[in-house]
Amino acid sequence: MPNPTAAMLVIGDEILSGRTRDANMHHLAGALTKHGIDLKEVRMVSDDAPAITAAVRALSAGFDHLFTSGGIGPTHDDITADCVAAAFGRAIDIRDDARAVLQAHYDRTGTELNEARLRMARIPDGATLIDNPISAAPGFTIENTHVMAGVPQIFEAMVASVLPTLTGGAPLLSQSLRIERGEGDIAGPLRTLSEDFPDLSFGSYPYSHSGAFGAHIVIRGHDGARLDAAIQALSRLFPDDAS
Amino acid sequence: MPNPTAAMLVIGDEILSGRTRDANMHHLAGALTKHGIDLKEVRMVSDDAPAITAAVRALSAGFDHLFTSGGIGPTHDDITADCVAAAFGRAIDIRDDARAVLQAHYDRTGTELNEARLRMARIPDGATLIDNPISAAPGFTIENTHVMAGVPQIFEAMVASVLPTLTGGAPLLSQSLRIERGEGDIAGPLRTLSEDFPDLSFGSYPYSHSGAFGAHIVIRGHDGARLDAAIQALSRLFPDDAS
């Protein structure tokens, strides 16, 4: 049975302007691979309602799971929750359970639950809350879509609480070999090898440094013994250049 | 007149599996912002022909420019050029001009231009070549789509040769202020301020470290004097917490 599929939607002007380098995509990709869910597509859009809503519709329909990151804070540019509600045709308002979570947190820290902070209790009808152990304001899951914060520390905590609730497939295993030859010398033998192991996937990731060219060959699959066999066959093809 | 818009398509299994952290998106985002082209959307897909072709069609139709990264090397998983040709309904084959570039390079380095390397001379009909000063194998531009290598050093060189040929708008300027207050305290005054400066965009990027919460407020626009005025107004709102 093939693994479940997933997409990710990263929301925020700061990524697209080059000001901030996204870290959440890389984290989620690694966590999903370990859990046996195949991340198939990532989109990054700005804080623009039609763009967010359209992306949520397309990705939630196209994959088993959608994970979003960003745009659920208290400021006026945080519009993700409303866009997700619109994408699923749900009403959205301040919800008592989310408000109670925030109230308890701010009572503990002696902070006022003002109008801006109350925005973070806006949750679409029918969604279940995702726990935020860092700063209380919850994420939520609606249908197959998991809406999480953009701050990496909070995003990672939310991923850690959502992933165990999802059925994963066989974790994708990988082994790699560095070959100190130009990719053009590797390509022919690699294609033949990949035809001998149709159950595995073969990737070639070229590098260059100090004028020397080479490639990392990464073999992926679900059967460790087959991976071992393929990596040994590969290293026999390049006895002097593989490490 | 609004700035031209752009999208980026990052192609490759290694990004989506979490093995490699993409660097090209961050580089392109910064370069486009300086050049006055607004990056509006990024997609990342795996080495899968239907996914690549569909994304090229959607993004080249939706934005003024599309930049792609990855999948133009010599190995069997490098299928970007063929997918771009399919997306634009063009024929593709080994082209004499690209073959000549490769032949000259491999003659110089004493390397055989074998069948695998010749794959890198496959260029869609009507495309113009993009120079690759690092390893010769060219990228290409077809209609509004710029097809570039995934290796960061080569990608950056190709961006540097393509960007000066594109008409940019006013570079997007930005100024930022760090405010050591929870975003919930900043949100109300920030919304009012943003209404006083409708020509500027206001972003709030929360952070937390060592248990302290704060936010970087970034104001963006095309008029430096207006930015100065807005940032001064903002710092007057938080005289004790802004830096």
Side-chain angles (χ1 to χ4, degrees):
Chain A
M1 208 175 113
N3 281 356
T5 60
M8 179 182 190
L9 177 61
V10 178
I11 296 156
D13 291 346
E14 74 279 22
I15 309 283
L16 292 172
S17 72
R19 182 181 175 277
T20 299
R21 191 172 162 174
D22 174 66
N24 293 337
M25 186 256 140
H26 185 63
H27 174 80
L28 182 67
L32 289 177
T33 296
K34 273 191 210 130
H35 197 69
I37 294 177
D38 294 346
L39 181 61
K40 292 292 194 186
E41 180 168 340
V42 176
R43 294 192 192 179
M44 303 179 172
V45 299
S46 61
D47 300 313
D48 173 66
I52 298 170
T53 305
V56 169
R57 281 207 181 109
L59 296 174
S60 64
F63 301 94
D64 294 327
H65 296 285
L66 169 61
F67 299 84
T68 81
S69 148
I72 61 168
T75 60
H76 64 282
D77 58 337
D78 289 308
I79 56 176
T80 297
D82 286 80
C83 294
V84 172
F88 286 107
R90 305 288 182 98
I92 180 168
D93 205 343
I94 293 170
R95 230 170 63 175
D96 288 345
D97 53 350
R99 182 192 187 116
V101 167
L102 292 176
Q103 188 74 62
H105 173 75
Y106 291 123
D107 284 350
R108 258 194 322 271
T109 59
T111 309
E112 182 203 359
L113 179 50
N114 61 15
E115 189 187 325
R117 292 195 171 94
L118 262 180
R119 270 175 65 78
M120 297 190 286
R122 289 176 64 77
I123 303 288
D125 281 1
T128 57
L129 302 185
I130 299 174
D131 187 40
N132 170 356
I134 313 288
S135 57
F140 60 85
T141 293
I142 181 167
E143 301 195 10
N144 67 341
T145 296
H146 313 284
V147 175
M148 300 182 286
V151 175
Q153 190 189 5
I154 305 174
F155 179 82
E156 292 173 18
M158 288 182 171
V159 169
S161 63
V162 167
L163 266 194
T165 69
L166 306 180
T167 304
L172 189 64
L173 307 173
S174 72
Q175 290 197 35
S176 67
L177 198 69
R178 189 174 71 151
I179 299 179
E180 293 180 5
R181 290 275 281 276
E183 255 198 318
D185 290 329
I186 302 169
L190 187 65
R191 177 190 287 269
T192 306
L193 185 67
S194 72
E195 288 162 358
D196 293 342
F197 291 88
D199 52 323
L200 305 179
S201 87
F202 292 73
S204 171
Y205 308 112
Y207 65 83
S208 68
H209 49 74
S210 315
F213 288 88
H216 297 277
I217 307 301
V218 180
I219 310 180
R220 300 187 183 88
H222 298 296
D223 181 335
R226 291 283 289 166
L227 281 181
D228 287 344
I231 211 88
Q232 283 163 20
L234 177 63
S235 63
R236 279 195 300 270
L237 290 172
F238 297 95
D240 301 326
D241 306 293
S243 59
Chain B
M1 207 176 112
N3 282 356
T5 60
M8 179 182 189
L9 177 62
V10 177
I11 296 155
D13 291 347
E14 73 279 22
I15 309 283
L16 292 172
S17 71
R19 182 180 176 277
T20 299
R21 191 172 163 174
D22 174 65
N24 293 336
M25 185 257 141
H26 185 63
H27 174 80
L28 182 67
L32 289 177
T33 296
K34 272 191 211 131
H35 197 69
I37 294 177
D38 294 347
L39 182 61
K40 292 292 194 186
E41 181 168 339
V42 176
R43 294 193 192 178
M44 302 179 173
V45 299
S46 60
D47 300 313
D48 172 67
I52 298 170
T53 304
V56 169
R57 282 208 181 108
L59 296 174
S60 65
F63 301 93
D64 294 327
H65 296 285
L66 169 61
F67 299 85
T68 80
S69 149
I72 62 168
T75 60
H76 64 283
D77 57 338
D78 290 307
I79 57 177
T80 298
D82 286 79
C83 294
V84 171
F88 286 107
R90 305 288 182 98
I92 180 168
D93 205 342
I94 293 171
R95 229 168 67 175
D96 288 344
D97 54 349
R99 183 194 186 116
V101 168
L102 292 175
Q103 188 74 62
H105 173 75
Y106 291 122
D107 284 351
R108 256 196 321 274
T109 58
T111 309
E112 182 202 358
L113 178 50
N114 62 15
E115 189 187 325
R117 293 195 170 94
L118 262 180
R119 271 175 64 79
M120 297 191 286
R122 290 175 64 78
I123 304 287
D125 280 2
T128 57
L129 301 186
I130 299 173
D131 187 41
N132 170 356
I134 312 289
S135 58
F140 59 86
T141 293
I142 181 167
E143 301 194 11
N144 67 341
T145 297
H146 313 284
V147 175
M148 299 182 288
V151 176
Q153 191 189 4
I154 305 173
F155 179 82
E156 293 173 19
M158 289 182 171
V159 169
S161 63
V162 167
L163 266 194
T165 69
L166 306 180
T167 305
L172 189 63
L173 307 174
S174 71
Q175 289 197 34
S176 67
L177 199 68
R178 189 174 70 150
I179 300 179
E180 293 181 3
R181 291 274 281 276
E183 255 198 318
D185 290 328
I186 302 169
L190 187 65
R191 177 191 286 270
T192 307
L193 184 68
S194 73
E195 289 163 358
D196 293 342
F197 291 88
D199 52 323
L200 305 179
S201 86
F202 291 72
S204 171
Y205 308 113
Y207 65 84
S208 67
H209 47 73
S210 315
F213 288 89
H216 297 277
I217 307 301
V218 180
I219 309 181
R220 300 187 184 88
H222 297 296
D223 180 335
R226 291 283 290 166
L227 280 181
D228 287 344
I231 211 89
Q232 283 162 21
L234 178 63
S235 63
R236 279 195 301 270
L237 290 172
F238 298 94
D240 301 326
D241 306 294
S243 59

